[in-house]
């Protein structure tokens, strides 16, 4: 066919397709990852007038790996087996070349990895911060964070320690870690959880700081310890103990006199 005649036909076809897309509304369907999904091209009453060969499904950006998991049933229903994240997208169905259905498929998963996870360390504590890029299709139930000393090459790493609270509220975007050792490298990890389970774990490192103020305070408190004369301390303790002993004896003497003193008042008829 002459190219000059083919071009107008192509333009008319594209115009008709765009008009059909504008008329047919997009339906939205959500499915959990790993489940099977069936997509109907039209009502059974409408499909009964068409042969199986007249039903055609088109998916935007279909991957070759998806073909083995696609199945078109005799009634024109498209079945997706063991749905994966790659199956998400827009699907279109045509009957005898006319657009009959447009379906957007959302695949729900455990939460994806948190974004911009970083650690703001201090001397004996650290602050872990993160951002949420997505929920996986279900609301986030909670976050979980753990820490441990950075593993040393050639040595067995220690077990991860939970950070309290173990179930961090879903509206939180940071958590504090206490009782760390100054000038020490730690590994931290954090993840989100929804009803489908634990999301992707993100691990970061942080190095606690030296505390110059604490070192200066300790140096100040210990200044002069080497020249301190313990005899002065012993003498002071002796004076205090002697004073307490004298006060105790005086109190006992006064109580003794009080008990021996005759009771007042006249007696007899």
């Amino acid at each position: 066919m002459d190219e000059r005649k083919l071009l107008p036909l192509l333009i008319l076809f594209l115009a008709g397709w765009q008009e059909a897309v504008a008329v047919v509304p997009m339906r939205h369907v959500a499915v959990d990852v790993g489940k099977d999904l069936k997509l109907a091209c039209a009502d059974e009453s409408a499909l009964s007038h068409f042969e199986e060969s007249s039903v055609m499904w088109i998916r935007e950006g279909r991957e070759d790996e998806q073909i083995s998991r696609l199945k078109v049933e005799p009634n024109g229903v498209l079945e997706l087996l063991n749905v994966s994240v790659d199956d998400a997208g827009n699907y279109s169905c045509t009957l005898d070349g006319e657009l009959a259905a447009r379906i957007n498929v959302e695949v729900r998963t455990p939460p994806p990895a948190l974004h911009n996870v970083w650690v703001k360390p201090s001397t004996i504590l650290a602050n872990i911060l993160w951002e949420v890029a997505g929920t996986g299709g279900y609301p986030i139930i909670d976050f979980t964070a753990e820490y441990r000393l950075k593993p040393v090459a050639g040595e067995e790493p220690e077990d991860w320690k939970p950070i309290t609270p173990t179930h961090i509220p879903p509206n939180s975007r940071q958590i504090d870690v206490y009782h760390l050792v100054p000038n020490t490298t730690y590994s931290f990890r954090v993840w989100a959880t929804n009803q489908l389970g634990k999301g992707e774990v993100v691990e970061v490192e942080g190095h606690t700081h030296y505390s110059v103020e604490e070192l200066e305070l300790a140096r100040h408190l210990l200044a002069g310890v080497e020249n301190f004369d313990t005899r002065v301390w012993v003498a002071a303790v002796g004076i205090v103990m002697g004073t307490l002993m004298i006060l105790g004896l005086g109190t006992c003497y006064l109580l003794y006199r009080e008990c021996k003193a005759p009771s007042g008042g006249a007696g007899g008829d």
Side-chain angles (χ1 to χ4, degrees):
M1 182 180 293
D2 190 353
E3 293 183 358
R4 289 175 296 179
K5 296 181 179 179
L6 181 61
L7 183 58
L9 292 176
L10 180 60
I11 294 175
L12 289 174
F13 173 78
L14 292 176
W17 179 265
Q18 290 179 350
E19 182 178 355
V21 168
V23 172
V24 178
M26 178 76 75
R27 289 191 287 130
H28 297 275
V29 177
V31 60
D32 294 347
V33 65
K35 301 292 185 179
D36 296 340
L37 175 65
K38 292 185 177 182
L39 302 177
C41 183
D43 296 335
E44 292 186 5
S45 58
L47 288 172
S48 62
H49 299 87
F50 295 90
E51 298 180 358
E52 180 181 356
S53 59
S54 66
V55 178
M56 184 175 68
W57 284 90
I58 302 173
R59 187 221 162 173
E60 298 177 4
R62 187 181 68 186
E63 302 291 340
D64 292 338
E65 292 79 5
Q66 187 188 31
I67 296 177
S68 60
R69 295 182 290 104
L70 294 180
K71 176 183 175 183
V72 179
E73 299 181 352
N75 60 358
V77 172
L78 176 66
E79 184 175 11
L80 303 177
L81 304 176
N82 190 22
V83 172
S84 70
V85 177
D86 295 331
D87 293 326
N90 296 329
Y91 293 77
S92 300
C93 175
T94 61
L95 295 176
D96 279 346
E98 294 186 4
L99 184 63
R102 299 170 60 226
I103 305 174
N104 172 261
V105 175
E106 175 192 358
V107 179
R108 294 178 296 213
T109 65
L114 300 175
H115 278 202
N116 296 329
V117 180
W118 64 290
V119 179
K120 185 168 63 175
S122 181
T123 53
I124 58 175
L125 63 88
N127 183 233
I128 309 174
L129 303 98
W130 62 85
E131 296 178 2
V132 176
T135 65
Y138 286 109
I140 291 178
I141 298 174
D142 56 33
F143 299 99
T144 305
E146 297 176 335
Y147 77 103
R148 69 180 180 186
L149 289 173
K150 180 183 178 181
V152 179
E155 296 184 7
E156 187 72 18
E158 65 176 17
D159 295 335
W160 289 97
K161 301 176 183 178
I163 297 174
T164 306
T166 54
H167 299 286
I168 305 170
N171 59 341
S172 298
R173 296 296 180 269
Q174 62 179 357
I175 189 70
D176 291 327
V177 191
Y178 299 96
H179 309 301
L180 302 179
V181 179
N183 192 35
T184 305
T185 302
Y186 288 89
S187 296
F188 305 88
R189 66 180 186 178
V190 61
W191 65 88
T193 302
N194 63 15
Q195 71 179 60
L196 292 182
K198 175 180 176 180
E200 186 176 348
V201 177
V202 179
E203 185 173 337
V204 294
E205 293 182 358
H207 189 87
T208 53
H209 301 162
Y210 266 125
S211 177
V212 178
E213 293 81 2
E214 292 177 0
L215 293 176
E216 290 295 333
L217 178 60
R219 189 178 296 110
H220 175 73
L221 293 175
L222 295 177
V225 170
E226 296 179 354
N227 300 325
F228 180 72
D229 191 350
T230 56
R231 291 175 296 179
V232 176
W233 181 81
V234 172
V237 172
I239 293 173
V240 173
M241 295 298 294
T243 303
L244 292 176
M245 185 177 295
I246 293 173
L247 290 175
L249 292 174
T251 302
C252 292
Y253 176 72
L254 291 176
L255 291 174
Y256 174 78
R257 289 191 58 184
E258 184 70 20
C259 293
K260 289 295 184 178
S263 58
D269 294 329

